[in-house]
Amino acid sequence: MPELPEVETTVRAINKFEKNVLKEIIVNNKNLRWKVEEKVEEFVKNKFIQNITRRAKYILIFFEDQCLMIHLGMSGKLRIQKIKDNYFKKHDHVELIFENEKIVFNDPRRFGSIHLTRNPHEHRLIKNLGIEPLSKSFNKDYLATLCKSSNLNIKKLIMDQRKIVGVGNIYASESLFLAKIKPDRPSKNVSMTECKNLVTSIRKILKYAIKKGGTTLKDFYSADGSEGYFNLELNVYGKEDKGCKICHQKIIRTVIAKRATYSCNNCQI
Ligand SMILES: [Zn+2]
């Protein structure tokens, strides 16, 4: 599933279309997670793009008075294709047509979505989302306040999209390892110093993934695109029974909220 770093990388890849005119949107298959409304095609005719940004895992393309919200769902991705390279792939559901190039939304499982809205921040899919982990507002005080008032364990808390967006399952295990905190620790018992370390770790792992993603930007031009998680060097995720990089004890796998969780019982307390 595309996670926050993949979405951020996608936004960076299509950023060059800012200040360009989007000539039209062609919807080949409107049956995505939610039906693509007809107003999308009707509205988007020769519209000037003011900017392209991201909120959580939503790609936001702003026009003067409307905004196109794209979510990649489970298997969606965008690729950039030259108009003259006249080919079509299975599952190319939506095409954003520019002068010489187009952005193609390909999504085999069709859990992605496209909406047109005046104010995305008030949209039902976005308005209740939590804080951006790479923003300044995400700091030790914010996390400590969350921890104090939560009955969840720390892994569940940092993955709660209503509190913090974009900390996916892999990033949760990895950041807790870096911060030396056991995933099943009650959030209430996480100290201020640990909150500080955890904020630093979450930012570090997300930035690392985005940096890795940056090196795959060229893939946006290839028909294959880039798939799933970037090729990250991970410390614990998927490393059951392998030696911890720090203490060489075996990494253990547990299940928290039905999600595989990896940690080192020796390094993490
Ligand atoms: Zn260890």
Side-chain angles (χ1 to χ4, degrees):
M1 186 186 339
E3 294 287 346
L4 189 140
E6 286 86 349
V7 177
E8 176 65 26
T9 302
T10 301
V11 166
R12 291 180 188 190
I14 64 170
N15 226 283
K16 61 175 191 159
F17 293 103
E18 276 185 356
K19 316 296 177 204
N20 283 20
V21 171
L22 176 53
K23 290 173 75 175
E24 64 174 324
I25 290 188
I26 300 171
V27 180
N28 302 312
N29 181 354
K30 58 166 107 65
N31 296 312
L32 302 182
R33 179 164 187 185
W34 292 284
K35 224 172 196 157
V36 182
E37 292 178 290
E38 273 170 25
K39 69 174 183 182
V40 172
E41 279 177 291
E42 284 163 10
F43 174 80
V44 183
K45 295 262 190 272
N46 298 314
K47 288 283 190 292
F48 182 78
I49 294 179
Q50 293 190 321
N51 70 357
I52 301 175
T53 178
R54 170 187 70 72
R55 170 72 176 109
K57 294 203 281 183
Y58 290 89
I59 296 162
L60 304 178
I61 300 179
F62 283 93
F63 308 103
E64 194 183 358
D65 55 353
Q66 292 282 351
C67 175
L68 198 65
M69 278 169 54
I70 302 175
H71 195 283
L72 301 175
M74 303 286 286
S75 58
K77 56 192 162 199
L78 301 183
R79 71 169 191 273
I80 302 169
Q81 185 178 323
K82 302 248 186 271
I83 299 280
K84 64 176 166 51
D85 295 341
N86 191 20
Y87 67 91
F88 186 83
K89 286 182 70 182
K90 199 176 176 185
H91 313 298
D92 280 352
H93 301 314
V94 180
E95 300 172 60
L96 281 61
I97 311 291
F98 293 85
E99 184 74 39
N100 300 312
E101 291 181 314
K102 59 181 174 180
I103 300 172
V104 184
F105 177 68
N106 183 287
D107 186 4
R109 295 180 63 185
R110 289 191 281 116
F111 278 101
S113 65
I114 293 184
H115 290 92
L116 191 66
T117 180
R118 273 187 187 280
N119 182 358
H121 301 291
E122 290 300 319
H123 193 274
R124 66 184 167 85
L125 295 171
I126 288 184
K127 67 179 179 187
N128 295 322
L129 292 175
I131 202 164
E132 288 285 334
L134 296 174
S135 72
K136 283 200 179 109
S137 322
F138 181 57
N139 53 41
K140 65 177 192 312
D141 297 318
Y142 179 84
L143 185 59
T145 307
L146 282 186
C147 283
K148 271 198 201 91
S149 61
S150 176
N151 290 319
L152 302 175
N153 63 51
I154 188 66
K155 187 186 177 219
K156 270 187 93 168
L157 178 70
I158 61 174
M159 288 185 68
D160 183 345
Q161 300 298 305
R162 290 163 303 179
K163 302 288 194 296
I164 309 160
V165 297
V167 183
N169 196 37
I170 293 180
Y171 303 119
S173 279
E174 291 294 316
S175 55
L176 287 164
F177 174 76
L178 291 180
K180 299 185 167 28
I181 303 167
K182 271 199 181 125
D184 62 354
R185 270 267 294 283
S187 298
K188 278 198 171 69
N189 299 348
V190 177
S191 73
M192 185 58 108
T193 308
E194 288 172 321
C195 283
K196 182 172 178 254
N197 292 340
L198 187 51
V199 166
T200 306
S201 304
I202 288 172
R203 287 173 183 273
K204 192 173 167 184
I205 185 80
L206 290 174
K207 282 183 180 168
Y208 165 63
I210 291 167
K211 198 174 160 202
K212 273 274 183 178
T215 64
T216 69
L217 276 181
K218 60 177 177 2
D219 292 342
F220 280 87
Y221 281 98
S222 75
D224 300 327
S226 53
E227 301 243 3
Y229 281 95
F230 300 135
N231 205 5
L232 304 177
E233 282 159 41
L234 301 171
N235 287 307
V236 285
Y237 192 89
K239 310 270 186 194
E240 188 179 8
D241 291 336
K242 298 233 166 69
C244 166
K245 284 184 185 167
I246 295 171
C247 73
H248 308 295
Q249 289 211 13
K250 277 185 179 174
I251 301 292
I252 57 158
R253 178 186 187 277
T254 51
V255 175
I256 293 179
K258 296 182 185 164
R259 307 296 302 275
T261 304
Y262 298 85
S263 56
C264 171
N265 256 342
N266 190 38
C267 292
Q268 294 168 255
I269 56 167

